[in-house]
Amino acid sequence: MKLKQAIYLVEGAADEDGRTPSIWDTFASTEASGGKLEVACDQYHKYKEDVQLMVDTGLDAYKFSISWSRLIPNGRGSVNPEGLQYYNNLIDELISHGIQPHVTLHHDDLPQALEDEYGGWVNSRLCMGDFTAYADLCFREFGDRVLHWATINEANVFAYGGYDVGITPPQRCSSPFGSLNCTRGNSTSEPYIVAHHILLAHSSTVSLYRLKYQSKQHGFIGLVLYTFGAIPVTDSKEDKIAFQRVKDFYFGWFLHPLVFGDYPETMKRNGGLRLPVFTNSESKLVKGSFDFIGVLYYSCATIIDNPESLRLQQRDFGADMAATINYFVDPVSSTSIFPIAPWGLRSFLEYIKEAYGNPPIYIYENGQRMLQNSSLDDIPRVNYLNGFIGGLLEALRNGSNTRGYFVWSFLDVLELFDGNEVSFGLYYVNLDDPDLKRYPKLSAISYSNFLKGKTFSSDAVSEVTKPSSLSYSLL
């Protein structure tokens, strides 16, 4: 079992040792994120302590992101020796303690220098070349110890959130679809263009890895998608068709080209000329360009047909999908925690097995959202993780090709949408402590006992070391 963190959420040291800003830095500086990017959890300085905590917990793998702008400050060209040394140190520390590093190359953090120079992912050839060169450096420097590579994290949300509705970096969008903070972009076309460029950059990187490194390093490479379980809200034909359309738009957007070499027919029909077309050579390059698919999974939703959206004069990705998605949250909880519904994960894994040939899957994020500082006795998180691990076991028994499971998150990190107001961590980070001391929550002890084959008991609550500044009340 494993854990996962992203660089800007955990690493800190945003402007130290030669690192330059990324599009995440720019986004965070304009948003009331409720947290400090320059500090986060300060794993940059505390990585040895955190790796020891992983060992104590019983982990055998840890997924983290490399900051492109820490490694290559200008996005291309000269390598930053301090950045190179840091990632070598972190990887070596993990390996020396028997923990497998799973590395993400891009997690919403394109170097701002490239965004400023040519528009980043909107520009196909330049960004594809720069990303492939950056990946080449990582394979060359770290591939002798890193066996699992993810090119782009949450690629579907990055394209939709960053270039349609403008709620994630680089916050490009246009009226009437985007957020009020957007001052540039085109919501009707850019999500499709960026996704297309991501697929080309990903496949180019996979081709490079397979040609130059894979036979020597014996590693694996894939792409990561945001996913959710879903059901049609009624048994009507219209809602059932809308249910499939949502799967085509959210998951098939990337999985269909990766498995079959082209976009789903529903996307081509509804997106029309705004959806780019693969050339024959591009289709061959993209098809099969993965060893595994990474999955982020939290909750489930109901799907309602919305044909009226197709009659709009201006349409974006959401309107083209022609369906309304209503995500499940716990209606009695003020913290908007996710309900325990393992059937959603099982149904998604079953769909991937049946529709896309049962590819190898790594569940790279799964976890429970709670208010920060609410309690170390995080029983809702314990119950959530126990439920979903049980659901995963059922999926495996039914033939799912899932190879690994990672909890989001190891520490209470600087969250993308909520800053430090909410947390997903097994370990509480005391932000009022200059040393940012880590404290195990009940979920950390429960998960550790599970990994070590021990029976979990409520007596574990007494093992939690509680900082005096924290409320202990149960939610």
Side-chain angles (χ1 to χ4, degrees):
M1 292 291 178
K2 347 280 184 174
L3 284 172
K4 176 179 186 284
Q5 308 286 188
I7 168 265
Y8 56 78
L9 305 179
V10 66
E11 194 172 282
D15 55 0
E16 292 185 37
D17 293 341
R19 183 185 181 273
T20 59
S22 72
I23 57 174
W24 171 260
D25 297 72
T26 303
F27 172 78
S29 69
T30 60
E31 293 292 305
S33 64
K36 294 182 178 180
L37 173 71
E38 64 270 19
V39 178
C41 299
D42 199 25
Q43 192 167 85
Y44 186 79
H45 298 107
K46 298 172 73 68
Y47 71 92
K48 288 188 176 183
E49 174 186 332
D50 286 343
V51 171
Q52 185 57 54
L53 205 56
M54 296 174 207
V55 174
D56 297 341
T57 305
L59 302 183
D60 61 11
Y62 180 65
K63 188 173 191 298
F64 64 93
S65 302
I66 288 177
S67 170
W68 185 347
S69 62
R70 188 183 297 285
L71 203 56
I72 310 175
N74 293 323
R76 68 164 77 92
S78 300
V79 177
N80 175 24
E82 286 86 357
L84 188 64
Q85 187 62 58
Y86 169 70
Y87 292 114
N88 271 316
N89 289 344
L90 174 59
I91 291 167
D92 287 344
E93 191 74 13
L94 290 166
I95 294 292
S96 69
H97 287 85
I99 298 173
Q100 299 175 10
H102 286 235
V103 173
T104 299
L105 294 171
H106 183 285
H107 194 146
D108 294 1
D109 62 344
L110 180 83
Q112 186 63 43
L114 301 185
E115 183 75 16
D116 293 339
E117 180 183 342
Y118 55 72
W121 286 106
V122 175
N123 189 313
S124 171
R125 300 303 168 190
L126 289 174
C127 201
M128 184 170 77
D130 287 338
F131 180 77
T132 305
Y134 155 60
D136 191 9
L137 171 68
C138 292
F139 299 150
R140 184 171 67 249
E141 296 292 338
F142 312 128
D144 58 329
R145 290 151 292 159
V146 174
L147 297 181
H148 296 85
W149 298 95
T151 54
I152 310 290
N153 187 75
E154 211 169 19
N156 48 355
V157 168
F158 178 67
Y160 177 58
Y163 296 86
D164 186 340
V165 291
I167 59 173
T168 63
Q171 207 171 33
R172 294 177 65 96
C173 59
S174 61
S175 179
F177 305 105
S179 73
L180 296 176
N181 294 330
C182 283
T183 59
R184 61 204 175 112
N186 185 335
S187 296
T188 65
S189 60
E190 283 191 4
Y192 295 127
I193 292 169
V194 166
H196 196 75
H197 295 169
I198 285 173
L199 281 164
L200 294 177
H202 161 81
S203 56
S204 171
T205 300
V206 172
S207 178
L208 168 78
Y209 183 70
R210 288 174 171 173
L211 181 65
K212 290 182 62 176
Y213 298 102
Q214 196 165 41
S215 63
K216 299 176 183 177
Q217 298 177 353
H218 309 292
F220 307 91
I221 189 165
L223 180 136
V224 183
L225 300 175
Y226 171 79
T227 66
F228 52 89
I231 52 173
V233 74
T234 73
D235 288 331
S236 70
K237 177 183 177 182
E238 292 77 12
D239 281 348
K240 288 181 178 178
I241 293 173
F243 173 47
Q244 180 59 49
R245 200 161 54 240
V246 167
K247 290 188 285 189
D248 285 344
F249 268 75
Y250 260 92
F251 316 138
W253 193 9
F254 287 85
L255 285 175
H256 230 72
L258 290 174
V259 175
F260 302 114
D262 200 3
Y263 295 112
E265 289 301 319
T266 51
M267 292 196 75
K268 291 195 286 186
R269 181 170 59 250
N270 291 6
L273 295 177
R274 289 173 291 121
L275 186 70
V277 176
F278 292 107
T279 66
N280 288 338
S281 60
E282 288 171 343
S283 178
K284 291 177 182 178
L285 181 68
V286 172
K287 183 178 179 179
S289 62
F290 67 96
D291 299 318
F292 65 87
I293 298 297
V295 166
L296 314 185
Y297 187 97
Y298 290 96
S299 190
C300 43
T302 56
I303 307 300
I304 306 172
D305 184 40
N306 181 23
E308 292 300 316
S309 67
L310 294 176
R311 298 186 178 94
L312 295 174
Q313 208 167 28
Q314 277 188 296
R315 297 214 307 264
D316 68 340
F317 174 88
D320 290 339
M321 189 167 54
T324 301
I325 302 174
N326 293 315
Y327 290 99
F328 292 3
V329 293
D330 187 340
V332 301
S333 172
S334 61
T335 61
S336 298
I337 63 176
F338 303 126
I340 302 170
W343 64 263
L345 176 60
R346 292 197 305 270
S347 67
F348 171 78
L349 293 174
E350 182 68 21
Y351 175 69
I352 295 302
K353 183 179 76 171
E354 297 299 327
Y356 294 105
N358 206 18
I361 297 287
Y362 283 94
I363 299 174
Y364 274 144
E365 289 185 22
N366 179 237
Q368 181 60 282
R369 179 184 191 272
M370 297 176 67
L371 289 176
Q372 171 76 301
N373 294 7
S374 56
S375 177
L376 288 180
D377 304 336
D378 56 344
I379 290 176
R381 182 170 291 113
V382 173
N383 293 337
Y384 178 97
L385 294 177
N386 286 347
F388 276 90
I389 290 170
L392 174 58
L393 179 59
E394 290 184 36
L396 289 169
R397 287 170 174 162
N398 290 334
S400 172
N401 196 10
T402 301
R403 303 290 182 87
Y405 172 87
F406 291 68
V407 173
W408 182 270
S409 56
F410 178 51
L411 305 172
D412 281 348
V413 303
L414 181 65
E415 289 292 339
L416 174 61
F417 295 114
D418 299 295
N420 295 127
E421 294 179 4
V422 303
S423 70
F424 287 77
L426 302 182
Y427 287 86
Y428 165 70
V429 178
N430 187 354
L431 300 177
D432 295 324
D433 179 356
D435 193 43
L436 298 174
K437 187 171 175 60
R438 283 81 157 115
Y439 297 87
K441 302 179 189 179
L442 183 60
S443 58
I445 295 168
S446 170
Y447 191 58
S448 179
N449 285 343
F450 165 72
L451 296 180
K452 296 171 183 176
K454 299 178 182 178
T455 301
F456 171 67
S457 165
S458 59
D459 293 341
V461 175
S462 63
E463 300 177 41
V464 177
T465 304
K466 300 176 178 177
S468 58
S469 63
L470 192 65
S471 167
Y472 320 138
S473 61
L474 297 181
L475 294 178

